Amino acid sequence: MTFQSRPSSNPDRTSVDEIVGRRRMRRNRKSDWARRMVRENTLTVDDLIWPLFVIAGSNVRQPVASMPGVERLSIDEIRRDAARAAELGIPAVAVFPYTDPALRDATGSEALNANNLVCQACRAIREETGDIGIMTDVALDPYTSHGHDGLMSGEEILNDETVDQLVTQALVQAEAGTDIIGPSDMMDGRIGAIREGLDNGGYRNVQIMSYTAKYASAFYGPFRDAVGTNATLIGDKRTYQMDPANTDEAIREAELDVAEGADMIMVKPGMPYLDIIRRLKDAFAMPTFAYQVSGEFAMIAAAGQNGWIDHDRAMLESLMAFKRAGADGILTYFAPMVAEKLKA
């Protein structure tokens, strides 16, 4: 629809021309080409990281009920999705495991197994497609019987003892071929310890994307379904994940992570924390990522399925919000859908 200025029919009424003068904002919105020409932010395939869930077995594509369209994949199937990601031009995938409950224990020892699902997936993806980035999660919660990210003594999450184990986990993943270590545990000092461990182990080029500002959020429920920790988690994670009320604390967390050697920083969840993304980007000018977490994804996907919102428009609008807030990239389960739309 076009617009046109008309003189006022009421001689006593101030005309629009008198109010705005020559500054008419709608001129730059008058057509698609004009809007594209002055657009301040853009979304491209290069902005996307696709999280994938891996499960034991063969020829398995197991739907995650609380995440419409998302599946747990066996190693042969994760090969196919990694190849699809490469074909779509998605720069990287992030791998998360559904660990057999029989392999979970109080110390998360399966995290240190050089042949665990994540390590198998790294090798398979690298073999299938050599030119896609692989990001892996460093934390113990997919492997512990209690569902926490760290080692426990009674009800206490042990910080330093956990960090020691996370360093070993990171080295196991680096040996398997990961490109980016993503420590999501929120233990104090883990970035510096992991960086030192990687460097001393001969993995100087393995990057670290720190989960810098990871909040104790209600939006993680579907993810915990996907990795099987909803059934195991004892209590909550508020003694190590951040209070949703805090913003200055995120600055302090980022300052520490950057000083300890993080190559990239992340805010999780994404949409409820756009202000944190903006603050961190402005303060540190570091490569800054947002994780559009499972709850955010599920709300859009479910509402779209029910016809309550326009699924594709809401999907793209939500991702553009991250770019507008200052994010350099987004981990999102929408990645293949968005990539297909952007390439169309």
Side-chain angles (χ1 to χ4, degrees), residues 235-254:
D236 58 49
K237 303 188 177 187
R238 288 181 291 180
T239 66
Y240 49 102
Q241 294 179 355
M242 285 180 57
D243 186 335
N246 294 351
T247 66
D248 291 344
E249 185 181 9
I251 298 292
R252 298 197 297 274
E253 287 279 7

Side-chain angles (χ1 to χ4, degrees), residues 16-50:
V16 172
D17 277 330
E18 290 176 285
I19 295 170
V20 302
R22 296 177 179 176
R23 295 170 297 180
R24 288 186 175 269
M25 298 297 291
R26 288 183 60 192
R27 276 195 285 264
N28 283 342
R29 305 171 194 152
K30 68 181 181 181
S31 61
D32 178 65
W33 67 262
R35 292 189 294 273
R36 286 189 288 118
M37 197 166 65
V38 300
R39 187 163 291 151
E40 298 173 34
N41 296 282
T42 56
L43 178 69
T44 75
V45 175
D46 293 338
D47 298 321
L48 305 174
I49 298 175
W50 184 9

Side-chain angles (χ1 to χ4, degrees), residues 111-172:
L112 311 184
N113 178 2
N115 200 40
N116 65 28
L117 284 171
V118 167
C119 294
Q120 290 181 51
C122 286
R123 291 189 288 268
I125 292 168
R126 182 63 66 228
E127 184 179 312
E128 186 70 26
T129 172
D131 59 352
I132 196 168
I134 304 171
M135 178 175 174
T136 49
D137 178 52
V138 166
L140 300 183
D141 53 321
Y143 308 98
T144 57
S145 53
H146 46 70
H148 278 286
D149 296 50
L151 304 175
M152 296 186 73
S153 176
E155 295 184 358
E156 180 187 358
I157 308 299
L158 301 174
N159 191 93
D160 296 9
E161 294 86 345
T162 296
V163 170
D164 289 342
Q165 186 145 321
L166 297 177
V167 172
T168 305
Q169 183 184 14
L171 287 168
V172 166

Side-chain angles (χ1 to χ4, degrees), residues 39-323:
R39 187 163 291 151
E40 298 173 34
N41 296 282
T42 56
L43 178 69
T44 75
V45 175
D46 293 338
D47 298 321
L48 305 174
I49 298 175
W50 184 9
L52 300 172
F53 297 107
V54 61
I55 192 170
S58 178
N59 197 31
V60 176
R61 301 190 73 96
Q62 186 180 90
V64 179
S66 55
M67 299 177 71
V70 173
E71 299 166 310
R72 301 182 191 94
L73 308 170
S74 53
I75 297 296
D76 54 323
E77 293 296 331
I78 212 167
R79 281 177 175 268
R80 294 186 178 92
D81 277 23
R84 181 186 175 199
E87 289 171 6
L88 289 169
I90 295 171
V93 296
V95 180
F96 299 91
Y98 177 91
T99 303
D100 185 333
L103 297 175
R104 303 182 194 205
D105 58 30
T107 64
S109 60
E110 180 66 10
L112 311 184
N113 178 2
N115 200 40
N116 65 28
L117 284 171
V118 167
C119 294
Q120 290 181 51
C122 286
R123 291 189 288 268
I125 292 168
R126 182 63 66 228
E127 184 179 312
E128 186 70 26
T129 172
D131 59 352
I132 196 168
I134 304 171
M135 178 175 174
T136 49
D137 178 52
V138 166
L140 300 183
D141 53 321
Y143 308 98
T144 57
S145 53
H146 46 70
H148 278 286
D149 296 50
L151 304 175
M152 296 186 73
S153 176
E155 295 184 358
E156 180 187 358
I157 308 299
L158 301 174
N159 191 93
D160 296 9
E161 294 86 345
T162 296
V163 170
D164 289 342
Q165 186 145 321
L166 297 177
V167 172
T168 305
Q169 183 184 14
L171 287 168
V172 166
Q173 294 177 358
E175 175 65 26
T178 191
D179 298 294
I180 305 171
I181 294 293
S184 66
D185 56 284
M186 291 299 288
M187 299 296 121
D188 291 336
R190 88 274 202 211
I191 301 302
I194 291 170
R195 182 72 273 162
E196 181 179 13
L198 290 171
D199 290 353
N200 291 342
Y203 301 107
R204 292 182 180 276
N205 289 329
V206 172
Q207 298 156 273
I208 296 177
M209 182 189 293
S210 172
Y211 286 62
T212 292
K214 182 178 180 181
Y215 285 84
S217 173
F219 286 90
Y220 302 146
F223 176 92
R224 290 174 182 165
D225 285 343
V227 298
T229 59
N230 258 344
T232 60
L233 181 60
I234 299 170
D236 58 49
K237 303 188 177 187
R238 288 181 291 180
T239 66
Y240 49 102
Q241 294 179 355
M242 285 180 57
D243 186 335
N246 294 351
T247 66
D248 291 344
E249 185 181 9
I251 298 292
R252 298 197 297 274
E253 287 279 7
E255 186 176 23
L256 289 167
D257 286 356
V258 172
E260 291 176 23
D263 301 289
M264 298 164 276
I265 57 178
M266 185 206 297
V267 175
K268 181 182 180 182
M271 188 69 75
Y273 297 92
L274 296 178
D275 58 320
I276 308 302
I277 297 169
R278 182 77 269 165
R279 286 199 68 186
L280 295 189
K281 187 64 177 178
D282 288 346
F284 297 98
M286 285 283 291
T288 302
F289 287 75
Y291 198 142
Q292 185 180 49
V293 299
S294 58
E296 300 172 66
F297 168 85
M299 289 191 298
I300 294 172
Q305 277 188 343
N306 283 283
W308 298 332
I309 60 173
D310 183 319
H311 176 278
D312 290 354
R313 287 187 62 192
M315 171 181 72
L316 293 170
E317 183 179 342
S318 69
L319 298 179
M320 185 61 76
F322 298 126
K323 294 300 300 291

